[in-house]
């Protein structure tokens, strides 16, 4: 009799567990369908406006298509022409890398310096953070137009500054092939350093204060705390900022387009601006697609190098 009761109890428990599993599975399916329903518009838009165009551009890179005529399959001729026959392509690659190195280094230095300053005992730090971040959310075209006026060689603000303090009119920022790219870099740093500054501020404020207190008790000065605590513990934020800044700087377009038009000559023409010239001015859509995929490979190559090198200097 007791065995029968035990077996019936086990059967009841098994049924309860089975019912619970069925209810959980139904709830999970319901939640899954609800999530897919909410995500469907975004996924559909991503498919139509991102995945399909990216795939189409890859196919188009193997065609010669003058936009208004028929597309003719040419194989790898666009890439051969780009790497071996184009007289300015490698100069443009050099311009792009010049901008990337100058912009990334200055951006990280300025943003890290401002972040360290704005996490110290400074008045109005909230207002100052807002002011320094404001150019990031301002339209890049508007920023570039304002800086173009500042760079005016005769009556611009920078020319006035040079005349007032040096007696000379200063360099021809946008008309000289030597100064045009530095001018683009300076304007870009001003417009973009606020983003990394906010990332570094969050990273610094996330470091436990007890670590600094223990270091101070041990006699560590400000510089020792900076180089032995702040910077090592901030390396994950520095790594993230470096990767994102490099990727965005390789795609620079608005600054040279508004400030210099790619000139003088081709001294400030970057890969994305060259893509625009070939695709939407010369209507060589297949050749422009080859440029786009060359840029994609360059971005992936540099990003992989960064991720492989992080093990040597990033401390999680």
């Amino acid at each position: 009799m007791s065995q029968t009761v035990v077996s019936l109890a086990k059967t009841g428990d098994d049924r309860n567990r089975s019912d619970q599993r069925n209810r959980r599975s139904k709830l999970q399916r319901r939640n899954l369908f609800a999530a897919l329903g909410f995500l469907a518009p975004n996924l559909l838009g991503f498919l139509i406006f991102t995945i399909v165009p990216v795939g189409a551009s890859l196919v188009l890179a193997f065609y010669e298509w003058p936009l208004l005529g028929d597309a003719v399959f040419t194989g790898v001729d666009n890439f051969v022409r780009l790497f071996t026959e184009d007289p300015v392509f490698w100069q443009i690659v050099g311009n792009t890398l010049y901008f990337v190195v100058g912009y990334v280094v200055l951006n990280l230095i300025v943003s890290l310096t401002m972040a360290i300053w704005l996490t110290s005992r400074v008045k109005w730090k909230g207002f100052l953070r807002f002011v320094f971040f404001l150019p990031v959310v301002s339209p890049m075209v508007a920023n570039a137009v304002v800086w173009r006026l500042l760079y005016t060689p005769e009556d611009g603000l920078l020319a006035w500054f040079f005349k007032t303090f040096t007696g000379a009119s200063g360099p021809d920022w946008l008309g000289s092939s030597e100064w045009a790219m530095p001018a683009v870099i300076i304007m870009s740093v001003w417009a973009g350093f606020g983003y990394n500054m906010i990332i570094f501020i969050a990273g610094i404020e996330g470091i436990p204060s007890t670590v600094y207190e223990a270091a101070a008790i041990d006699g560590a000065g400000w510089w020792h705390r900076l180089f032995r605590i702040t910077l090592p513990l901030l390396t994950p934020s520095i790594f993230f900022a470096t990767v994102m800044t490099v990727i965005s700087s390789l795609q620079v377009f608005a600054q040279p387009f508004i400030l210099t038009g790619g000139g003088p000559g081709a001294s400030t023409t970057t890969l994305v601006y060259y893509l625009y010239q070939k695709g939407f001015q010369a209507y060589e859509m297949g050749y422009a697609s080859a440029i786009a995929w060359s840029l994609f490979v360059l971005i992936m190559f540099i990003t992989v190098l960064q991720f492989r090198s992080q093990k040597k200097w990033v401390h999680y």
Side-chain angles (χ1 to χ4, degrees):
M1 182 68 180
S2 60
Q3 292 180 351
T4 304
V5 173
V6 171
S7 63
L8 290 174
K10 289 183 177 180
T11 303
D13 292 339
D14 292 339
R15 288 178 180 177
N16 290 333
R17 283 194 292 268
S18 177
D19 292 339
Q20 291 176 357
R21 284 195 296 268
N22 290 333
R23 284 196 296 269
R24 281 198 298 268
S25 63
K26 290 180 181 179
L27 181 60
Q28 290 174 351
R29 284 196 298 268
R30 193 180 303 117
N31 291 337
L32 176 62
F33 291 143
L36 291 176
F38 284 113
L39 292 174
N42 196 345
L43 293 175
L44 184 62
F46 182 75
L47 175 66
I48 295 175
F49 296 108
T50 301
I51 299 299
V52 172
V54 167
S57 69
L58 178 60
V59 174
L60 194 58
F62 299 96
Y63 283 80
E64 181 181 350
W65 185 33
L67 188 63
L68 300 178
D70 296 330
V72 178
F73 180 76
T74 58
V76 296
D77 288 355
N78 285 325
F79 293 97
V80 172
R81 173 190 166 191
L82 183 66
F83 296 135
T84 62
E85 301 175 8
D86 195 320
V88 297
F89 173 71
W90 292 110
Q91 177 189 353
I92 291 168
V93 172
N95 293 341
T96 304
L97 296 178
Y98 177 16
F99 176 86
V100 168
V101 173
Y103 173 72
V104 171
V105 172
L106 287 178
N107 187 304
L108 293 177
I109 292 174
V110 173
S111 58
L112 184 57
T113 302
M114 299 304 294
I116 293 172
W117 177 52
L118 292 176
T119 51
S120 62
R121 296 178 181 178
V122 59
K123 294 182 179 180
W124 308 100
K125 63 173 62 177
F127 175 73
L128 291 174
R129 292 175 184 179
F130 165 76
V131 170
F132 292 136
F133 185 74
L134 191 59
V136 177
V137 296
S138 300
M140 183 59 72
V141 173
N143 293 336
V145 169
V146 172
W147 274 83
R148 186 173 182 178
L149 296 175
L150 296 177
Y151 283 135
T152 303
E154 296 298 331
D155 53 357
L157 181 62
L158 294 180
W160 172 86
F161 179 85
F162 273 92
K163 287 180 181 179
T164 301
F165 293 97
T166 66
S169 58
D172 185 5
W173 291 98
L174 303 180
S176 169
S177 58
E178 296 179 355
W179 287 99
M181 186 59 81
V184 174
I185 292 174
I186 292 171
M187 178 262 155
S188 301
V189 170
W190 173 86
F193 82 89
Y195 180 82
N196 287 338
M197 180 193 72
I198 295 298
I199 292 176
F200 293 150
I201 288 175
I204 293 173
E205 292 183 343
I207 299 175
S209 59
T210 53
V211 179
Y212 290 107
E213 293 172 358
I217 293 173
D218 290 338
W222 187 86
W223 287 104
H224 282 86
R225 293 197 299 270
L226 174 64
F227 286 101
R228 299 296 179 88
I229 297 175
T230 304
L231 294 182
L233 294 181
L234 198 61
T235 49
S237 299
I238 296 174
F239 173 70
F240 171 79
T242 302
V243 171
M244 298 304 295
T245 306
V246 168
I247 291 174
S248 64
S249 60
L250 283 167
Q251 303 175 69
V252 61
F253 170 75
Q255 297 93 309
F257 178 74
I258 300 297
L259 288 175
T260 63
S267 59
T268 58
T269 301
T270 59
L271 281 171
V272 176
Y273 187 67
Y274 192 51
L275 185 157
Y276 165 79
Q277 288 178 322
K278 290 299 182 181
F280 299 99
Q281 292 181 341
Y283 300 113
E284 300 181 40
M285 303 305 293
Y287 195 63
S289 298
I291 297 172
W293 279 93
S294 300
L295 176 61
F296 171 77
V297 172
L298 178 62
I299 292 174
M300 290 297 298
F301 175 74
I302 294 177
T303 304
V304 169
L305 286 182
Q306 289 177 299
F307 272 89
R308 290 199 170 184
S309 66
Q310 68 163 321
K311 298 178 181 179
K312 298 180 180 179
W313 63 277
V314 180
H315 308 285
Y316 290 101

